Every structure is written in structure tokens, then in C-alpha cells.
Amino acid sequence: MKKGLVFSLFLIAALLVPPISYGQTVFSVSGKIKDRLSGQFLLGARIILDQNIDTACITDSSGFYSIQLKPGYYTIKIVMSGYIEKVIQVNVDQTVQQDIKLDPLPILKDVVVFSKTNNINTPISGRELISMNAVDKTPLFFGEKDILKTIVLLPGVTNAGDGNTNFFVRGGAADQNLILYDGAPVYNPSHVFGFFSVFNNDVIKDATLYKGNEPAMFGGRLSSVLDIKTKDGDLNEQKITAGIGNITSRVSIEGPLRTDQSSYFIALRKTHVNYLLSLSDEFKKNKIDIYDLNFKYKNIIDSGSRLYISGYLGKDKIAIGENVGVSWGNKLLALRWEKYLSKKIVSNSTAFMGNYFYNNLFKTTTADLILNSSIANYGLKQDFLYHKNNNNTLGFGLNSIYYVTNPQILFQDNKSGFKNNEKGGLENVLYFNWDSKLSSAFFVDLGVRLSGFTVANTETENLLGNNQLTQNTSKNKSLTYFNVEPRITGSYLLNKQTSIKLAYARNVQHLHLLNNANISDQWIINSNKIMPEISDQFSLGWERWLKNKLYQVNFDIYYKFLQNQLDFKEGIGLNSIVDYESVLASGIGRAYGLEVKLSKNYGLFSGWISYSLSKSEKKIEGINDNNWYNAIQDRTHNLSVVALYNLTERLVLSSVFVYNTGNAITYPVGRYNVGGQSVFEYGTRNANRMPGYNRLDLSVTYENKLKKRMSGAWNFSLFNVYGQENPFRITFEEDPKDNTKTKIVQTALFKWVPSISYTLTF
Amino acid sequence: MKFKIVFFISIIFSFGCLKVLNINITNPNAKIVIDAVITDGAGPFYVNISRATSINETMAYSPKDSARIYIGDNLGQRDTLIKVKEGVYQTRTLRGITGRTYFIEVHIDNNIYTASNKMPSKINFDKIDIDSLSINGLGVYTIIPRFTDPPTKGNFYRFVQKINDSLDNSYYLLNDNLNNGLENNTPLISINSAIRVKRNDSVRVEMQCINKEEYAYFSTLSQQTNFGINANTAPSNPKTNFNGNVLGFFSCHSSEYKSIRILK
């Protein structure tokens, strides 16, 4: 069955392949590139032929490379950040299959590769390869290494503020980012309302952020895709890593199940703040319990096929006193089978499922109220990558995801009080991608996604009653939204060091997050009233490398036009939303900006400066007299400076400075009296600004070798060195001393946050 | 909810800090405010006309504008209000009767502002019960207004509480989403932690049966006091039922009072 499907897909793809003919016999040289010590496959290693400067090929996420060569002797150089360059000789007289192991650079050497670089001639625009080294070495917050705190230092990416893991990419909302964990979507990446993310850094192998111009195999969100890949267990030896920070302890164990054939990786992270809370009489009735459990299994079935099983289980449980509780959690499971159908064709079959829930509990003497919201998904993906020849790579595949949403159910004493009807949505996608080198200087990446989204129950019903919830299915017909999402990126090399890139992409989004301060986090899907969100992004980039890639300069400008953007209507109480559709209005949006990044990629001193100037607005009927207004995520300026200095072989200093324009918010403009009470009159939506956000962090990392196989690392960090009181929220209240005056109070979450973390590996 | 918790966590780590900001905000186009209330009974009823001020100006209740105001209902009542003092107008003959639709017409400076509202049926306010609740280990008293919601859906209630004759400025709103047809057992708990009923306090509670629009109006107002400004949902002005560019509401509801003294 599956074989038949694979075959017919292959046939379709073969028919779609543009007829590029070549007369002379060529052979393929292919294989996998991996880390000699850990056996990890390496993404982004460059294969360079003979004396050429141009890269012939870059390895994909499974470490795979494939090049086409005419018969003869070749010298092949493999270059990868953080590894010793390797040169091999190849005699091409037949198809060559060669796996290559790279030796990592000795850790305590003067060359520290800090930021990963894209290859100058890749035709992908707005892609950021995230250096896990940067995540490791930048200052920690509460002792946690956190990828989501590092990506906000990249150009075009901004943070939602202190105590928040939400990030905004190119003026898009937080729900417009697709976060993938080994291919499975994550619906809430935050712990403790956003103090740190669910991603335990010990587990992450690499991560890539696409800022809206992702290849056609990705889609479903308007602004970005953050593709996180986890580590495989070591195939040769057992390893244990343990760490302790201010608020969490963590341990990970990995090793072979059968040497060189199968391995496991298990990581557990748990908070240990409750004993701190118990020390205070005031807070001892409050509890914070958080855990993350990650696991991965890898099996090399034969030389051409591998099986991966990856899972995540995590939960937050927070109790405030005896009467209020909040909990939420994610569950993910992904199974991937990678198979080389031939030397040139890789097939990846993935099955995944995920579930996210959010629960609020309020206990009163008379009743227990539980407000619940959840989303689940089940997906199948089939991806093919065909390295036709050195100049042409084709990607194609299809995927289906079934979503089940329950935006809100309120239970009172275990009987349902009200609920929105459960909705199912089926997303089917067929995509095709052609990556081609048209000449030695001109590269193009063409892609298209054909997507269909079927909503099973189009009408949103709000069911009320006392344990007598019935759903009227007769009037609920299904409805399908079809979309064609073209993607194109062209890249032109002006010279060996300089390239320009031009890109266009359309993205469509069928899931929407209602983030309401009272209930929080309700994922909803399209209905007959809520249409898919659509974005069209145009971008232009210029990149220059200097001094043998020591320095790099990037300029990017973009313009994004958005349709069917949602926002809360004016003058609607959100306290107890039963009918969420009645409080939503939809309209258009636009976002545009300029991004600059200067980086020094390696050396004793390395780091980058990134700056974005941007605007993000919405225009929705019924809001702000139908005029354009600032989106919540609008930030005019956003500056990050990241610096790393290797003081000695073991001692690394790092610092981060950030500045961004304050959040767009709505201030009251006046006061008036209704019913004997003074109330505020509000002005234009999001027309005011919180004071600007700025902060400097410093850290020291000290690594020491304890025994032959044992090493430890201390990290001392100070968050917010000069104690800037950055606004978290601003409230307007009647001045208790003089009720004709208004007191404006700013709440800042953190002044200084020192932290210590220790990691032991053996 | 969310913000309270985050704030609480910040206290745990002792890093949260408050600062009073000095922001100059002006209100150049101060709008007219019409605050009119009709309840069931004989009256007289009052209409307050004022202007919004900027957030740091002394509240001015007496605008220069003189107004002509008429209120009538769908069964032929019509009353011209008389001015009792600057900005305050009073009905002479009008009676409030549940089930009727009332109309108001306000003439100010060559502009006419009109609104209408239907007074919902009255539901009996049976009694007040006192309950004690533990919040973070501290015992506090709460008031449970007892009434039985009718079997038909779509009933809305507002409660106004006075503790020792001073108005509790919290908004207590109830609907029958959860307890349709049942006796109410939801207590009045203020979002403002400074407002607590203590031993020996005298409490007076007014129960108002309001309609959906009025519920939405006060519900929007209640959010302003609950959350102030945060990054998630933009606060906005409640939707007035007056036509024209004015603030305020023409409120029509039943009214019934119960009092109690906490002796336990």
C-alpha cells in the first residue's frame, strides 16, 4: 500500500521535473556527514570541489549530501562551523557512496564559532541558522539556557517583554509562528507564563528560523517557522549530563542500545522552587510544579534507512493559595522513517500527534469551577528530496493534519456549564519545490503549496446548560478553503563575496490563538465566519562577506500584506466570553521594515549587532473608526548587541544589550462619571507607547575538566546589570489621596536577576 | 488571572517593582456625557449631563451647556425634565414600569441625542446570605444575593454594594449561562482586594435586572478596573446606547434593596 503510494508519488514528481538533459555520463557522489564523537549527522556542512570557492552542495538536516561529477579524480573539501576542515580524494569512475566523519574543534581553543552562517549562494531568503553555541554562551535568565530568549536577538525578531517567551517575527503576531519539534507543532512553548521555554537546551541539536520565506515543505503560519531538531543518542558510549540552576534541575542520559546501530536519549527537567516557597509564610500555600521529559530513539535499520522516534511530555501546575489553580501542558510524539530509495532520492515518512491543554480552576465554598481549553492534532507527512544533479534539487511531498479544537468548556461541580462545540479541521497539502543553479551566479528556488482546509462543523455553537449539552449537527455542514501558495526566491552573486536576494511568498493560516488576559490561550480554527489568514511577503536582501568570512553584513527589507486578521471588537466585555465569534472582528494588516545585521563569526572576540526598523498595522471595520492602527506587536526600533570574548581557554565572557520601542498600548485620554463612579475614556487603539525597553546582561562561563571523561561548566549570569525597570504593565487608577487625579503606575517584573548554573557531563 | 499570577511570581523572587509615572495626557475633544437611569417605581429619576475631563483635571459636574430633556415610553408617557442644579435634571411625572420601552431625547447646543431601552421583567430579590471564604488563608465575609433565575434563558443582573454607606466601586455582574433556572449561589467578590466585608459592617445591596446591552456596557467598564492596561487585550470604551458622539448610557432596570449587618 505504502510502496504503491510512494511509487505513484514518485511518478507524479518525475513527470513534473523539468526536462534538463545532459549528454555526458555523470556519477553521483553521496553520503552522510557526521560528528566523529557523537555520531550526530551535521546540517549545513559545505562540500567544496577542488580549488573552487563555490560550494557544490550543503548537507541537509539528515547530514546527507549528493553531487554529480563527470568521471575523474577530485579533491573534495568539507567545511563546517565548529569542526576541523577535512579534505578527501575521490576517484569517480562509478557511483560513489562515502560517509565522512568530522572531528569537532577542540573545545578550549581560541577559535570559537559563534554565529552560524548561511551559505552566500543559498537561494533562501530570511533564514537564520541558530547557533547552539550562542544559546550556550549568552547570559542565562534564572539559570536557564533558552533558545527562545536567543532568537529574539536576531534581526526582525522581537520579544513580547519580560516574563514572556512569545516572540514576534517581522511584525507578525505570536500565533503566526510555527514551532516544530522534530516535525510536530508546539502550541504553547512557555513555562510559568513565559519565564522560560519548554525547550530544554540539552536536547536541541540545531534550530532554523525562517522568517516568512520558508521552503514549500513548511507552511501553515504567516510569519515564521522555527524548526527545532533534537539530538540523537550517542551510538558509541553512555553519557550522562546533569545540571542545576536557580529554579530547575535537569539530567539527561544517552547511549547505544546496540553499538553503531541504535541509541536512546532521555532528558528530564524539573523545577525545585517549592521548597523556596515553603520558606515564606506568605507563599507556602502556593506551588509551582513544572517538568519536561524528552526522549528519542534512533535505529539504523540498514545503510539506507533509519527510524527515529521522538517524544515530549511537559506540564505546568501552579497553585495560588487553596482556591486557584492553573495548569497547562504539551504532549508530542513523532515517528520518522528515513529511507534512501536510491543514491539520489531520500524519502522521509513522518507520523506525529500532539495535544495542548489549558486549565483554570477556581474553588469557592459553594462550587468548583474549571475552565478548560484544548487543541490536539494527528498528522502524516511524506517528503521526498531528489538530488537530480549538482544544479537541481527537487523536493515534493504531501501531508495531512487533523485538528480537534475545544476552545472553552466550563465545568461547575463536574457538570458542564457551557462550551463551544468541538471542531474538527482537516488540512491537506501537496507541495513541490525546485532548487536550481541556473548559472554560476544565479540561483533560484521555486515552490508551491496547494492546501485545502476542511472544517467539519462550520457553525460555531455555544452550548449552555446544566449537564445537558446537545449539539445540533444537522445545520453544521462542512466547508473547505482551497489555497495556492506560491513561493519564489532568486539569488544573484554580484561577486564572490556579495549576493542579492529577492523573494516572494504567500502563507495561509487556519489556526488562530485568542489571547485574552482573563482566560488565556484558546486556539480556534476557521469557521463559516472566521476565514483563513493570508499573507503575501516581498523581500529584498543584500549580503556581503569580508575577510574570508570573518565578517558578514546583511541588509533586508520586506513588505507584508495580510488578510483576515483578527482582533477583539471595541466596547465588548471579555469577562465571560461564551460566544467568542461575537467579540472578534477581522480585517487587513500590513507590516514592513528594514533589518541590518553585522556579525563577526569567529575569533577570540565574536558576536553580532542587529537592528530592525519596522511598522505593523491593522485596519479592521469597527475598530478605531475603520482607520489603520498599530498592531500590539508593532515595535519601531529593535536593537540587539551580542558579544562573546574568550578570555582564556576555559573562561568565556559574554554580554547582551537590547533596546526596543515600548509596546503599543491604549492610554485613557479622559475621565467621566457614570452611575456615581469615575471611569476612563480611552483613545485610539494602541496609539500610545510604554517606555522603551532596554537591558544589559553579562555572564561568565568557566569550563573545567575534572577527570578523563568528566567535565563541568559553571555559569554565572547577571540579568539586567544596571537594574533598568522595564515596564511590564501600566495601570491607571484614581489617586487615593486626591480622587480628581489619576495615578499612573508602572509595574516592572525584574530589576537584577543573578543566576548560577552548574552542568556536569560524564 | 494570568497577570495576577505573574505578578505574584515576581514577588516571590522579590524583583517586582512599582514606579509612579508622570505622563502628560490631554483630552482636547472632551465629549458630552449623558448618564440617565430609570428604575421601576414612581421616581423622580435623574439625568446627569457633564463633560469628560482629561485624566488629571478636577472632575467638573456642571457644564455650561443647558439642556432640554424628554423621556417617554411606548405606552404614551411623556415627561419634560426640569433642571434641579447645573448638569442635573429630574423627571416630574414619569413612572418606571417593567416590560416597557423607554425613550430619551436630549437637546444640547443644537444637537439632539436619543436612546431607547427596554426595562426587563423583575425577578424577586429573596434575601442576603453571608458566607465566609478563605483567600490565601485569610477569612473574609462575602455576600450571596439569593434569587431564583427564571427558566427562560437570557437574564442579566447587576448588583451594587454599599459597605457602611460607602459605595463599593466594583462591578458585580451575573448572567444565567451557568445557573439558568436555579437559585443563585455566586457570592459578590471584588477584584479589588482592598474591598472586603468585615465583622460589624452594614451592607446594603441593590439588585438590578438589566438587559443584554446594559450587561455588555458594565462588563466592558468592569474590565477597565480589573486589568488596567496590559499587552494582550486593548481596553476600549463601552458601547453607548445613545446615537451621536457622546459617552454614557440610558439605563432602565428594576431595583430592589436588601440590607444586613455582619454579626458573626
Side-chain angles (χ1 to χ4, degrees):
Chain A
M1 174 65 209
K2 182 151 192 173
K3 230 176 180 172
L5 177 74
V6 169
F7 184 73
S8 57
L9 274 169
F10 176 51
L11 211 69
I12 295 166
L15 291 171
L16 290 168
V17 172
I20 298 168
S21 59
Y22 42 93
Q24 204 176 346
T25 316
V26 291
F27 293 109
S28 91
V29 178
S30 65
K32 292 213 160 196
I33 296 182
K34 58 182 172 185
D35 182 309
R36 182 185 302 281
L37 299 181
S38 66
Q40 297 273 355
F41 294 116
L42 300 173
L43 160 77
R46 290 182 287 132
I47 316 297
I48 298 167
L49 285 178
D50 291 333
Q51 306 309 319
N52 251 332
I53 295 174
D54 283 358
T55 303
C57 170
I58 303 176
T59 55
D60 64 15
S61 57
S62 60
F64 180 74
Y65 74 96
S66 170
I67 46 178
Q68 307 297 314
L69 295 172
K70 294 170 190 166
Y73 284 94
Y74 291 88
T75 306
I76 295 177
K77 189 160 77 177
I78 300 100
V79 181
M80 168 84 188
S81 308
Y83 290 86
I84 294 167
E85 224 174 75
K86 186 156 187 172
V87 178
I88 56 166
Q89 307 291 329
V90 186
N91 177 15
V92 180
D93 54 358
Q94 55 172 349
T95 300
V96 179
Q97 151 82 46
Q98 183 147 14
D99 289 352
I100 300 158
K101 288 177 179 169
L102 293 186
D103 292 300
L105 283 169
I107 305 163
L108 309 171
K109 285 292 171 284
D110 56 351
V111 178
V112 172
V113 181
F114 197 35
S115 46
K116 282 196 180 180
T117 53
N118 280 308
N119 194 8
I120 195 147
N121 56 13
T122 43
I124 295 174
S125 168
R127 179 171 78 165
E128 303 275 355
L129 299 171
I130 293 144
S131 158
M132 295 318 291
N133 196 8
V135 181
D136 268 356
K137 297 288 170 13
T138 45
L140 309 186
F141 177 60
F142 281 121
E144 296 302 311
K145 292 175 185 176
D146 196 336
I147 187 165
L148 296 191
K149 302 276 186 207
T150 308
I151 62 166
V152 298
L153 304 171
L154 296 169
V157 188
T158 50
N159 188 348
D162 277 343
N164 209 321
T165 44
N166 280 347
F167 61 99
F168 306 131
V169 178
R170 289 187 167 172
D175 68 343
Q176 294 173 350
N177 304 315
L178 175 64
I179 302 175
L180 294 174
Y181 175 93
D182 281 337
V186 179
Y187 291 98
N188 182 354
S190 72
H191 275 315
V192 207
F193 308 101
F195 275 43
F196 57 104
S197 80
V198 298
F199 303 110
N200 179 349
N201 208 54
D202 293 344
V203 173
I204 304 174
K205 181 170 83 170
D206 58 53
T208 309
L209 179 73
Y210 300 94
K211 296 188 285 191
N213 289 99
E214 49 269 14
M217 72 178 290
F218 296 111
R221 297 289 192 283
L222 301 191
S223 294
S224 78
V225 174
L226 176 64
D227 187 22
I228 295 175
K229 293 272 178 7
T230 62
K231 281 179 189 161
D232 305 330
D234 197 297
L235 282 167
N236 300 310
E237 55 177 352
Q238 301 284 343
K239 260 194 229 168
I240 298 176
T241 302
I244 185 157
N246 293 33
I247 49 176
T248 69
S249 330
R250 61 207 148 76
V251 62
S252 63
I253 305 169
E254 59 178 308
L257 290 165
R258 286 178 65 184
T259 306
D260 279 330
Q261 193 168 13
S262 59
S263 70
Y264 70 95
F265 188 108
I266 298 171
L268 179 68
R269 179 168 71 163
K270 216 173 169 322
T271 47
H272 51 72
V273 285
N274 281 341
Y275 81 92
L276 288 175
L277 296 176
S278 67
L279 298 176
S280 150
D281 276 349
E282 200 179 342
F283 295 119
K284 65 182 173 195
K285 285 192 173 162
N286 303 300
K287 295 259 180 302
I288 301 177
D289 287 300
I290 294 153
Y291 73 88
D292 293 303
L293 174 68
N294 304 75
F295 60 90
K296 187 144 184 197
Y297 167 77
K298 174 187 178 177
N299 189 355
I300 301 173
I301 299 165
D302 55 53
S303 65
S305 76
R306 280 168 180 78
L307 178 73
Y308 300 88
I309 299 171
S310 176
Y312 169 80
L313 199 62
K315 194 173 172 183
D316 280 57
K317 205 173 160 195
I318 294 170
I320 297 157
E322 288 156 353
N323 302 311
V324 180
V326 184
S327 64
W328 68 94
N330 292 287
K331 283 183 205 137
L332 301 171
L333 185 66
L335 191 144
R336 181 164 69 94
W337 180 47
E338 181 189 75
K339 168 92 182 152
Y340 284 79
L341 301 175
S342 79
K343 287 266 147 56
K344 293 178 177 179
I345 302 171
V346 197
S347 151
N348 267 297
S349 314
T350 312
F352 63 89
M353 56 191 285
N355 172 296
Y356 165 65
F357 76 91
Y358 193 99
N359 253 334
N360 279 317
L361 165 74
F362 308 95
K363 270 188 181 166
T364 66
T365 41
T366 45
D368 284 359
L369 298 176
I370 296 169
L371 187 61
N372 187 318
S373 172
S374 70
I375 180 166
N377 66 28
Y378 308 90
L380 288 172
K381 261 198 297 203
Q382 177 57 52
D383 301 310
F384 294 98
L385 202 62
Y386 173 41
H387 297 272
K388 188 165 167 36
N389 53 44
N390 285 353
N391 297 335
N392 290 282
T393 302
L394 297 155
F396 49 94
L398 48 90
N399 62 61
S400 294
I401 307 177
Y402 184 68
Y403 301 94
V404 182
T405 56
N406 269 304
Q408 50 180 353
I409 306 177
L410 190 112
F411 295 95
Q412 184 174 23
D413 294 329
N414 291 325
K415 291 180 205 160
S416 297
F418 69 78
K419 70 181 273 186
N420 305 119
N421 55 337
E422 179 176 293
K423 278 199 190 175
L426 180 65
E427 187 178 358
N428 287 303
V429 174
L430 184 68
Y431 75 86
F432 182 79
N433 208 87
W434 175 44
D435 191 348
S436 174
K437 186 172 174 182
L438 297 177
S439 76
S440 63
F442 189 45
F443 306 82
V444 69
D445 184 83
L446 284 171
V448 65
R449 270 171 84 84
L450 306 170
S451 67
F453 190 90
T454 306
V455 194
N457 310 310
T458 50
E459 195 142 331
T460 301
E461 287 181 291
N462 310 297
L463 309 154
L464 308 172
N466 309 300
N467 207 19
Q468 47 189 3
L469 300 174
T470 48
Q471 199 163 316
N472 183 356
T473 45
S474 60
K475 62 179 176 182
N476 256 325
K477 286 175 295 195
S478 73
L479 174 68
T480 302
Y481 291 101
F482 286 107
N483 282 283
V484 178
E485 304 169 42
R487 316 263 170 97
I488 179 166
T489 305
S491 160
Y492 187 75
L493 281 183
L494 297 170
N495 55 47
K496 293 275 188 240
Q497 286 83 37
T498 317
S499 75
I500 51 169
K501 281 169 190 164
L502 190 64
Y504 161 75
R506 168 169 277 209
N507 276 295
V508 178
Q509 175 164 346
H510 306 282
L511 298 171
H512 324 275
L513 178 66
L514 304 185
N515 196 329
N516 161 358
N518 302 337
I519 299 165
S520 198
D521 282 14
Q522 294 166 262
W523 282 95
I524 60 167
I525 59 173
N526 296 342
S527 69
N528 51 356
K529 287 182 194 135
I530 294 172
M531 315 284 274
E533 297 178 48
I534 297 172
S535 82
D536 290 288
Q537 177 172 280
F538 302 87
S539 59
L540 176 66
W542 180 89
E543 180 172 350
R544 186 172 170 90
W545 289 2
L546 298 159
K547 288 205 174 170
N548 195 23
K549 295 164 195 170
L550 180 61
Y551 299 99
Q552 187 185 342
V553 188
N554 288 74
F555 281 96
D556 282 284
I557 52 171
Y558 65 89
Y559 182 89
K560 202 153 51 167
F561 177 72
L562 305 143
Q563 297 173 57
N564 303 326
Q565 298 299 291
L566 298 171
D567 206 342
F568 290 109
K569 281 181 188 168
E570 283 183 356
I572 301 262
L574 302 171
N575 270 342
S576 55
I577 305 172
V578 177
D579 180 7
Y580 61 82
E581 279 188 353
S582 71
V583 300
L584 292 173
S586 88
I588 55 172
R590 62 185 178 197
Y592 45 93
L594 162 76
E595 296 163 1
V596 184
K597 189 181 178 197
L598 306 168
S599 28
K600 182 168 185 287
N601 293 326
Y602 52 91
L604 274 178
F605 181 79
S606 57
W608 71 79
I609 298 172
S610 85
Y611 170 75
S612 320
L613 175 69
S614 62
K615 187 85 206 154
S616 177
E617 294 170 299
K618 285 180 180 178
K619 187 173 187 277
I620 294 175
E621 207 177 304
I623 299 175
N624 191 29
D625 299 326
N626 308 338
N627 293 315
W628 286 100
Y629 64 94
N630 294 332
I632 280 172
Q633 62 271 17
D634 180 50
R635 302 281 187 280
T636 314
H637 305 284
N638 182 23
L639 172 75
S640 306
V641 181
V642 180
L644 184 89
Y645 188 67
N646 279 52
L647 204 63
T648 70
E649 290 192 340
R650 294 173 167 192
L651 202 58
V652 182
L653 300 182
S654 75
S655 76
V656 167
F657 172 77
V658 289
Y659 171 81
N660 59 252
T661 306
N663 293 8
I665 55 168
T666 314
Y667 278 167
V669 293
R671 289 208 303 172
Y672 60 100
N673 268 56
V674 167
Q677 297 192 25
S678 164
V679 298
F680 289 115
E681 179 193 355
Y682 285 90
T684 309
R685 183 174 291 198
N686 300 338
N688 306 93
R689 292 281 170 186
M690 280 189 174
Y693 181 98
N694 64 88
R695 195 188 83 219
L696 175 73
D697 307 338
L698 288 176
S699 87
V700 181
T701 308
Y702 177 72
E703 290 168 341
N704 57 338
K705 198 120 184 116
L706 299 166
K707 279 180 189 165
K708 203 179 171 193
R709 284 189 58 213
M710 202 183 223
S711 63
W714 285 98
N715 180 291
F716 302 91
S717 294
L718 182 57
F719 173 90
N720 200 0
V721 172
Y722 52 85
Q724 177 71 20
E725 292 181 22
N726 283 307
F728 169 69
R729 134 175 114 153
I730 294 177
T731 47
F732 288 74
E733 51 200 55
E734 206 170 81
D735 195 330
K737 283 178 240 144
D738 175 1
N739 66 5
T740 64
K741 296 271 187 279
T742 303
K743 205 167 121 185
I744 306 170
V745 181
Q746 171 192 291
T747 308
L749 281 186
F750 314 109
K751 262 189 127 164
W752 302 275
V753 183
S755 64
I756 303 173
S757 145
Y758 184 69
T759 309
L760 188 67
T761 311
F762 52 92
Chain B
M1 189 67 230
K2 183 172 176 176
F3 284 86
K4 279 189 162 174
I5 296 163
V6 173
F7 187 54
F8 145 77
I9 291 157
S10 71
I11 297 166
I12 299 171
F13 296 107
S14 310
F15 299 115
C17 29
L18 301 172
K19 187 162 86 177
V20 174
L21 299 182
N22 220 333
I23 304 170
N24 188 25
I25 300 164
T26 55
N27 191 10
N29 307 311
K31 287 182 187 166
I32 289 170
V33 183
I34 307 171
D35 178 16
V37 181
I38 308 287
T39 57
D40 60 322
F45 307 113
Y46 296 91
V47 176
N48 290 298
I49 309 283
S50 60
R51 263 183 199 278
T53 62
S54 86
I55 64 163
N56 273 327
E57 235 175 280
T58 307
M59 296 292 270
Y61 294 103
S62 49
K64 309 279 178 289
D65 327 271
S66 203
R68 269 181 300 135
I69 304 172
Y70 308 99
I71 299 179
D73 70 12
N74 59 336
L75 289 173
Q77 285 196 82
R78 186 171 167 91
D79 197 352
T80 306
L81 278 74
I82 49 166
K83 185 170 170 178
V84 285
K85 59 178 181 178
E86 278 305 323
V88 183
Y89 300 79
Q90 180 190 311
T91 56
R92 296 176 301 171
T93 56
L94 192 84
R95 282 187 66 85
I97 297 160
T98 59
R100 290 197 186 178
T101 303
Y102 289 82
F103 306 96
I104 186 168
E105 213 177 283
V106 180
H107 298 248
I108 309 172
D109 295 343
N110 302 323
N111 288 316
I112 304 170
Y113 305 102
T114 58
S116 70
N117 198 349
K118 188 179 175 185
M119 191 181 294
S121 311
K122 183 173 181 169
I123 285 127
N124 282 331
F125 188 2
D126 300 331
K127 61 173 178 173
I128 286 177
D129 277 346
I130 303 163
D131 194 9
S132 60
L133 180 80
S134 162
I135 295 175
N136 261 350
L138 299 166
V140 290
Y141 294 100
T142 56
I143 302 295
I144 305 175
R146 297 285 186 192
F147 63 93
T148 303
D149 182 74
T152 49
K153 277 178 190 165
N155 295 288
F156 301 91
Y157 310 91
R158 181 179 169 214
F159 295 87
V160 179
Q161 181 172 264
K162 274 187 174 175
I163 304 170
N164 301 328
D165 279 336
S166 90
L167 181 71
D168 164 3
N169 60 5
S170 317
Y171 292 94
Y172 300 108
L173 296 160
L174 288 176
N175 58 37
D176 58 1
N177 282 346
L178 276 175
N179 293 308
N180 187 44
L182 301 176
E183 187 183 37
N184 178 59
N185 52 21
T186 306
L188 308 180
I189 301 174
S190 180
I191 297 290
N192 182 350
S193 56
I195 297 170
R196 292 286 177 251
V197 177
K198 297 177 298 294
R199 213 172 147 184
N200 290 325
D201 281 351
S202 296
V203 181
R204 187 165 194 242
V205 175
E206 181 193 6
M207 172 172 162
Q208 303 174 353
C209 297
I210 57 177
N211 63 22
K212 197 178 175 181
E213 288 70 36
E214 204 162 326
Y215 179 87
Y217 184 87
F218 287 103
S219 174
T220 309
L221 279 184
S222 73
Q223 303 230 346
Q224 298 187 354
T225 46
N226 287 2
F227 294 99
I229 283 179
N230 64 57
N232 276 337
T233 36
S236 61
N237 298 314
K239 203 170 160 187
T240 176
N241 54 356
F242 280 96
N243 66 347
N245 194 18
V246 287
L247 298 167
F249 201 77
F250 179 44
S251 170
C252 297
H253 53 77
S254 67
S255 170
E256 192 173 354
Y257 291 89
K258 296 275 178 219
S259 299
I260 202 163
R261 181 133 188 245
I262 317 289
L263 292 170
K264 273 193 268 188

